[in-house]
Amino acid sequence: MTAFYRMVDRSPPLPDDLIERLSLVDTATIGHVEHLGFVGDNIRPVFPARVAGAALTVAAPGRDGVIVYKAIDLLLPGDILVISRVDRDDIACVGGGVAAAAKAKGVAGIVIDGPCTDVEEIIAAGVPVWCRGVSAKTTNRQFQIGGSLNVPIACGAAAVLPGFAVLADNEGVFVADRDRMGILAKSALERQKCSVAVRSHLASGRSIFEFRQEPTS
């Protein structure tokens, strides 16, 4: 049986102004007000990083190593590769080779609801990767099962549509449609300004219940 690879037209990159705002936003700030959109599921960064970009989605089943490289061929600078491991197995589909190829295309980061491999090579390449642990078992381009690109996927606990805005930092990964992410980014920046004042208030030994936010002009 011939492997079938489904590919849908990709979405444009995120606007520069949205990326600029997101570069100052913490996922944990959004977590104060939003309950959907967090990838979760113990998906953690390989090394400390913060990125924002448009999701290029991948549904990658089994040991097929072809589908991820097909996705890399579609990458535009600033994209974030979001990979759903359809079979929820312990097989790594991202390692040193994928990191090198993705870096050459200008990828902002990679998010996988499965393990990675070749951790030292990923770190050396400087490609931010969020994943669920590490595995010595890997995909192989000889195993051609099939897969899909730029389709709605489930990555961890979140639904991710092609072109969704992705924000990933040391606390987690959050995804939302672009309009919603823009609204959340604005409110998150305002909340973070308030948090600075709250931290100063608490550090002085005063009660949180005594805090009063000064009005802004």
Side-chain angles (χ1 to χ4, degrees), residues 167-187:
L167 173 64
D169 60 17
N170 297 335
E171 278 61 60
V173 181
F174 176 74
V175 301
D177 69 75
R178 298 173 185 220
D179 290 342
R180 179 62 179 161
M181 188 68 92
I183 293 169
L184 288 169
K186 181 180 179 181
S187 62

